[in-house]
Amino acid sequence: MAYLFVHEDREYLLEPGERFESDLGILEVPEDVAPGDVVETHLGTGFTVRALRGPDLFTHLKRTGAPMMPRDVGLVLGKTGISGGDRVLDAGTGTGILAAYMGRAGAEVVTYERDADFAAVARENMAVAGVADTVEIRTGDVTDDLDDLAGFDALTLDTEDAPTVVERAPTLLARGGSLAVYSPFVENTRETVAAAREVGLDGIETLDTIQREMDFDDRGSRPSTGGVGHTGYLTVARRP
Amino acid sequence: MAYLFVHEDREYLLEPGERFESDLGILEVPEDVAPGDVVETHLGTGFTVRALRGPDLFTHLKRTGAPMMPRDVGLVLGKTGISGGDRVLDAGTGTGILAAYMGRAGAEVVTYERDADFAAVARENMAVAGVADTVEIRTGDVTDDLDDLAGFDALTLDTEDAPTVVERAPTLLARGGSLAVYSPFVENTRETVAAAREVGLDGIETLDTIQREMDFDDRGSRPSTGGVGHTGYLTVARRP
Amino acid sequence: MAYLFVHEDREYLLEPGERFESDLGILEVPEDVAPGDVVETHLGTGFTVRALRGPDLFTHLKRTGAPMMPRDVGLVLGKTGISGGDRVLDAGTGTGILAAYMGRAGAEVVTYERDADFAAVARENMAVAGVADTVEIRTGDVTDDLDDLAGFDALTLDTEDAPTVVERAPTLLARGGSLAVYSPFVENTRETVAAAREVGLDGIETLDTIQREMDFDDRGSRPSTGGVGHTGYLTVARRP
Amino acid sequence: MAYLFVHEDREYLLEPGERFESDLGILEVPEDVAPGDVVETHLGTGFTVRALRGPDLFTHLKRTGAPMMPRDVGLVLGKTGISGGDRVLDAGTGTGILAAYMGRAGAEVVTYERDADFAAVARENMAVAGVADTVEIRTGDVTDDLDDLAGFDALTLDTEDAPTVVERAPTLLARGGSLAVYSPFVENTRETVAAAREVGLDGIETLDTIQREMDFDDRGSRPSTGGVGHTGYLTVARRP
């Protein structure tokens, strides 16, 4: 399990037994290193050891595309309530940020990624995030396995063919289970909503989220002049 | 532990041993009831038993004011990454939605509520949410106990005196731990940011979130004409 | 020409020669009444005479549907720069708010309204707005007259068949002239954009405007909790 | 009076009698040039002559800071209804975009700019915009002249000391006249609102406008991922 080694503004992700060189000297990571330890380089610079936390995942996971942003990951968690003991079916793993967050919240996650290289990176990422045991990454297309999947507490999709999967929500989900579909485009979102209506899901809702940073300086307080753009629409629904 | 008893559009929150009467007949909840059971009234109407999920908390917890909305609860979770094993200090419990979500994500939460009646309701709510063991609700003002509190993985505040608490973030938080402060007002948010800067927190950021629903009907797709208003600013930061 | 007669919170739109009764007495409007005059009822209550200004149009024109809102009228004016001496082709007159604003800014406007009753009301509204001479309201469908229309400085559309009209923009508009199309729906807007691209317009841009009121009270400053919903997308472009 | 000389993607602002050289040859602008003419360079490349329109002002006026954006200029026009025959008092001329728009809509504008160099540029800009006769730019601080100014149909302010001017709105404005104050900051806006309330203005409203572009491509329709940031709050009110 990897840890963060922090010295002032520097932050390195290293594993027990790893040897790391920088201008601050050579850092030999002890096999039994633990959060809270301070490890010194051969030049005497101390690095504090820290476990990765959720926000660190956005900085330290290997990216295989634009990962879902914290606000969208949070919106999925807030609207679905995925938590301890839940079984989640996820598709479109990508970097795996959402899967890692759900795993860290106590869910058992099965996630599908069609690209074998992306899936391999995502598996490494789950190890870094400490959820290798609870997040299973399957290489392949979830639509090929729909007959064998059933009774999940939540279904989270970030794939173009989400509408096809949503049509199967009544068997994929347990009663009361939640669906969350993330899509950048209106048309795809509309098809997802149509599929959710077709199969009789409840509480279907599509959210468009706009977020701005606030600036506070000596002249006053105001929303930032730097804009924050669109990420994606989130459609949620529940099996009645 | 209470469960939801669902029949078509009806949904009742009942405890084992409880006796419930409606026009559909008398429902005697068995002591050993479990999710998935179907329990019949004396008139023969079947109710399916279901565990509460996150989104049910917004419907079934007793409210002692406007509870935090799913998008804001989610934003706190997304930005702080609160998850299994984390120790969280929360203040301004209110209805307890945020505390319940954090507890369900595996965190141990200590939360302060100044109003004794609100605190009592929140304790009942934690029982309903299944987190009575991991969320401790203290009646009182967190500012009175700051000297005795330390080393939390996250600090979540929804109180007017948040700036006073933020000044103590360097001892309240473990290294890398996150702060999340929710406030409806610009002025209070500005003071929170000033306090966070004063004590040297990292990654200070205030988010203003605007959310609209999308409407999809035969005429086309568009954002809803019904507006969604402001809830609060969320300020996040981390202890370096 | 009608004027506003104002007494404290009351405001009536009356014409020279008109006789008006209320609990404050009978008001006989002199034929030669002028802004700034004070006219008394037979009971001695004075009403100050005032010309209608732009914002009064939203209150005092007769509505034949939801009129365009000030922010959208303004956006059309800001993005197209319609002003003194411009010739404007408008379609989908409705209440006529946009036509009145453009007329008051000095433009000569030809506007099409398919519904004869709506057109009649709009003509009355133009008289009230003081632009009966510069805004010509034609009852009918603009698409029937496209062969006879040419060389306008601006083309403003609030109709479902806007894409059909946009296809003719190269002859309808003078060089450098602007197109502004207002539509609530994504699909219709997309077709408008496709038509504008097809005929080679420049600077094609679709704007989605979200507007919130700010609340300032003793507790602080914040965006209103009452939401403001979507009105329409505005697509602008220019003939090169 | 300057005109635009357009050849394909090129667009130059030139005056009658001016001599202009580029790689396309030398262009001698005739003294009697008029919109619609085609003028050739000595190498035979034709430039079409075009009068400036509103949107051209954002491209061709000389900037002395960030000019007000079209959406904000439009919002001022939409909310105040400034139009033909109105007398407007404006302060914080800057580049003069708003003053030019108001002049082009038929208003007589007196505008104050404290910086003499900025005022000189703004005067040139008014000539380019064709409103040198109707927009008077005074070098100085409007607060020095408040005793001598009265009875305007509208008061438009983009200055830090707007609250001081707003306190005088009851004499500066005619009955029914509108105030529009543009400010980037919450605190300044709050003071403006307080001043407007203090002197009894009606319909006080502060608007926060968020605007996004929509993208339409082969993959679908969506709000742009490129963000549009905050410009300023607009506060409007009317003298009762």
Side-chain angles (χ1 to χ4, degrees), chain B residues 112 140-148:
Chain B
Y112 282 77
D141 193 326
V142 68
T143 57
D144 293 335
D145 290 0
L146 295 176
D147 291 341
D148 304 321

Side-chain angles (χ1 to χ4, degrees), chain D:
Chain D
M1 178 155 182
Y3 296 103
L4 290 177
F5 289 72
V6 184
H7 174 74
E8 291 173 359
D9 279 355
R10 311 215 191 176
E11 198 177 86
Y12 302 112
L13 183 70
L14 304 173
E15 306 212 359
E18 193 167 345
R19 187 175 191 274
F20 178 78
E21 295 189 33
S22 76
D23 57 310
L24 298 177
I26 298 164
L27 193 69
E28 305 266 9
V29 182
E31 288 290 350
D32 60 349
V33 71
D37 291 355
V38 175
V39 182
E40 291 196 2
T41 65
H42 83 290
L43 298 178
T45 301
F47 279 80
T48 305
V49 182
R50 191 158 92 189
L52 265 88
R53 298 169 185 277
D56 300 316
L57 303 181
F58 294 93
T59 322
H60 291 286
L61 295 195
K62 279 185 207 156
R63 301 190 171 198
T64 55
M68 201 178 278
M69 285 180 63
R71 75 174 195 209
D72 296 313
V73 168
L75 195 55
V76 172
L77 297 176
K79 296 296 288 188
T80 63
I82 290 162
S83 58
D86 282 338
R87 289 180 61 238
V88 180
L89 177 61
D90 179 66
T93 316
T95 299
I97 287 273
L98 178 60
Y101 257 77
M102 296 190 295
R104 291 168 70 94
E108 283 187 36
V109 181
V110 174
T111 177
Y112 282 77
E113 171 57 54
R114 286 196 296 196
D115 185 298
D117 293 337
F118 286 12
V121 171
R123 277 183 206 106
E124 287 173 42
N125 282 341
M126 295 310 104
V128 168
V131 292
D133 291 347
T134 51
V135 177
E136 177 193 350
I137 295 170
R138 296 185 182 168
T139 306
D141 194 326
V142 68
T143 58
D144 293 335
D145 290 1
L146 293 176
D147 292 341
D148 305 321
L149 299 162
F152 289 90
D153 296 290
L155 176 56
T156 56
L157 304 170
D158 180 6
T159 60
E160 272 182 55
D161 55 8
T164 307
V165 183
V166 172
E167 283 167 15
R168 304 291 289 273
T171 53
L172 294 173
L173 284 174
R175 287 189 180 280
S178 281
L179 165 75
V181 181
Y182 176 86
S183 170
F185 296 105
V186 173
E187 289 82 358
N188 197 241
T189 299
R190 185 180 173 94
E191 284 170 40
T192 291
V193 167
R197 287 175 181 166
E198 181 70 26
V199 298
L201 298 189
D202 263 359
I204 304 168
E205 186 184 38
T206 297
L207 296 167
D208 176 15
T209 303
I210 297 134
Q211 209 167 60
R212 300 188 298 185
E213 279 189 54
M214 293 293 289
D215 286 347
F216 299 100
D217 65 22
D218 290 348
R219 293 169 302 163
S221 309
R222 65 169 169 185
S224 171
T225 53
V228 174
H230 177 70
T231 55
Y233 297 102
L234 187 75
T235 301
V236 293
R238 298 183 72 183
R239 183 182 161 201

Side-chain angles (χ1 to χ4, degrees), chain C residues 2 4 11 13 52-68 73 93-102 104 118 120-132 135 137:
Chain C
L4 289 177
E11 199 178 86
L13 184 70
L52 266 89
R53 298 169 185 277
D56 299 316
L57 303 181
F58 294 93
T59 322
H60 291 285
L61 295 194
K62 278 186 207 156
R63 301 191 170 196
T64 54
M68 202 178 276
V73 168
T93 315
T95 299
I97 287 272
L98 178 61
Y101 257 77
M102 297 191 295
R104 290 168 70 95
F118 286 11
V121 170
R123 276 182 206 107
E124 286 173 44
N125 283 341
M126 295 309 105
V128 167
V131 291
V135 177
I137 295 169

Side-chain angles (χ1 to χ4, degrees), chain A residues 14-237:
Chain A
L14 304 173
E15 306 210 359
E18 192 167 345
R19 187 172 190 275
F20 177 77
E21 293 189 32
S22 76
D23 58 309
L24 298 177
I26 299 164
L27 194 69
E28 305 266 9
V29 182
E31 288 290 350
D32 60 350
V33 70
D37 291 355
V38 175
V39 182
E40 291 197 1
T41 65
H42 83 291
L43 298 178
T45 302
F47 278 81
T48 305
V49 182
R50 193 159 90 188
L52 265 89
R53 297 169 186 277
D56 298 317
L57 303 181
F58 295 94
T59 323
H60 291 286
L61 295 194
K62 278 185 208 157
R63 302 190 171 198
T64 55
M68 202 178 277
M69 285 179 64
R71 76 173 195 212
D72 297 312
V73 168
L75 195 55
V76 172
L77 298 177
K79 296 295 288 188
T80 64
I82 289 162
S83 57
D86 282 338
R87 289 181 59 240
V88 180
L89 176 61
D90 179 66
T93 316
T95 299
I97 287 273
L98 177 60
Y101 256 78
M102 297 190 295
R104 291 168 70 95
E108 283 186 36
V109 182
V110 173
T111 177
Y112 282 77
E113 170 58 53
R114 287 196 296 197
D115 185 298
D117 293 337
F118 286 12
V121 171
R123 277 182 206 107
E124 287 175 42
N125 283 341
M126 294 310 105
V128 167
V131 291
D133 292 346
T134 50
V135 177
E136 177 194 349
I137 295 170
R138 296 185 182 169
T139 305
D141 194 325
V142 69
T143 58
D144 293 334
D145 290 0
L146 293 177
D147 292 341
D148 304 322
L149 299 162
F152 290 90
D153 297 289
L155 176 55
T156 56
L157 304 170
D158 180 6
T159 61
E160 273 184 55
D161 55 9
T164 306
V165 182
V166 171
E167 284 168 14
R168 303 292 289 272
T171 52
L172 293 173
L173 284 174
R175 288 189 181 280
S178 280
L179 165 75
V181 181
Y182 176 86
S183 170
F185 296 105
V186 173
E187 289 81 359
N188 196 242
T189 298
R190 185 181 173 93
E191 284 170 40
T192 291
V193 167
R197 287 176 181 165
E198 182 70 26
V199 298
L201 298 190
D202 263 359
I204 303 168
E205 186 184 38
T206 297
L207 297 166
D208 176 15
T209 303
I210 297 134
Q211 209 168 61
R212 301 187 298 184
E213 278 188 55
M214 294 293 289
D215 285 347
F216 299 100
D217 65 21
D218 289 348
R219 293 168 302 162
S221 308
R222 65 170 169 184
S224 170
T225 54
V228 174
H230 177 70
T231 54
Y233 296 103
L234 187 77
T235 301
V236 293

Side-chain angles (χ1 to χ4, degrees), chain B residues 82-129:
Chain B
I82 289 163
S83 57
D86 281 338
R87 288 180 61 237
V88 180
L89 176 61
D90 179 65
T93 316
T95 298
I97 288 273
L98 178 61
Y101 257 77
M102 297 190 295
R104 290 167 69 94
E108 282 187 36
V109 182
V110 174
T111 178
Y112 282 77
E113 170 58 52
R114 287 197 295 197
D115 184 298
D117 294 336
F118 286 12
V121 171
R123 277 183 207 107
E124 287 173 43
N125 283 341
M126 294 310 104
V128 168

